[in-house]
């Protein structure tokens, strides 16, 4: 069974917010990947709501995120970058998805 976490984040309006978000996400990506949570795709909406980002992460199972957060240790630099990122996030929705066997891997 393949599981994913889909995170949709609405950033505050303003062109300076995207670089703060990207910097924080680089740290989140490194931290998550150290726990086996792999970023499959990151995207930003080009037509539709401005400053809406989507991140698709591959996880082992629905409890993987909780176990990862319990094991994470943040450096001061990571904490500061992630705090700057959170300051520009207006809204976040997270979903755990179960993969369907509709996509061919060959």
């Amino acid at each position: 069974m393949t599981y994913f976490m889909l995170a949709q984040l609405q950033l505050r309006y303003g062109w300076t917010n995207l670089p703060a978000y990207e910097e924080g996400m680089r740290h989140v990506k490194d931290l998550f990947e150290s726990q086996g949570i792999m970023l499959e795709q990151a995207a930003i909406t080009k037509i539709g709501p401005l400053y809406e980002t989507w991140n698709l992460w591959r996880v082992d199972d629905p409890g993987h995120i909780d176990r990862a957060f319990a094991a994470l240790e943040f450096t001061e630099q990571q904490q500061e970058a992630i705090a700057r990122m959170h300051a520009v996030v207006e809204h976040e929705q997270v979903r755990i998805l179960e993969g369907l066997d509709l996509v061919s891997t060959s």
Side-chain angles (χ1 to χ4, degrees):
M1 190 76 41
T2 304
Y3 290 96
F4 299 93
M5 177 179 70
L6 178 64
Q8 181 270 334
L9 297 96
Q10 180 64 52
L11 306 183
R12 297 186 188 285
Y13 183 76
W15 63 273
T16 60
N17 292 329
L18 187 56
Y21 168 78
E22 289 178 316
E23 178 192 5
M25 278 302 296
R26 283 186 195 92
H27 291 285
V28 169
K29 179 181 181 289
D30 290 345
L31 288 164
F32 274 12
E33 289 187 349
S34 76
Q35 299 299 313
I37 299 170
M38 306 310 290
L39 183 62
E40 296 288 320
Q41 186 65 55
I44 188 164
T45 302
K46 284 307 222 183
I47 299 174
L50 294 175
Y51 301 103
E52 178 183 54
T53 66
W54 299 85
N55 300 297
L56 183 65
W57 303 87
R58 182 181 297 267
V59 296
D60 293 341
D61 56 64
H64 193 172
I65 300 297
D66 290 335
R67 292 190 308 276
F69 273 115
L72 287 176
E73 294 183 22
F74 298 87
T75 67
E76 186 174 331
Q77 180 186 16
Q78 291 167 329
Q79 288 174 343
E80 290 170 1
I82 292 169
R84 286 191 298 275
M85 178 187 74
H86 280 288
V88 302
V89 174
E90 191 170 85
H91 179 74
E92 178 179 14
Q93 288 186 339
V94 175
R95 295 168 173 83
I96 300 295
L97 309 173
E98 184 179 309
L100 297 174
D101 292 330
L102 300 175
V103 179
S104 173
T105 57
S106 58

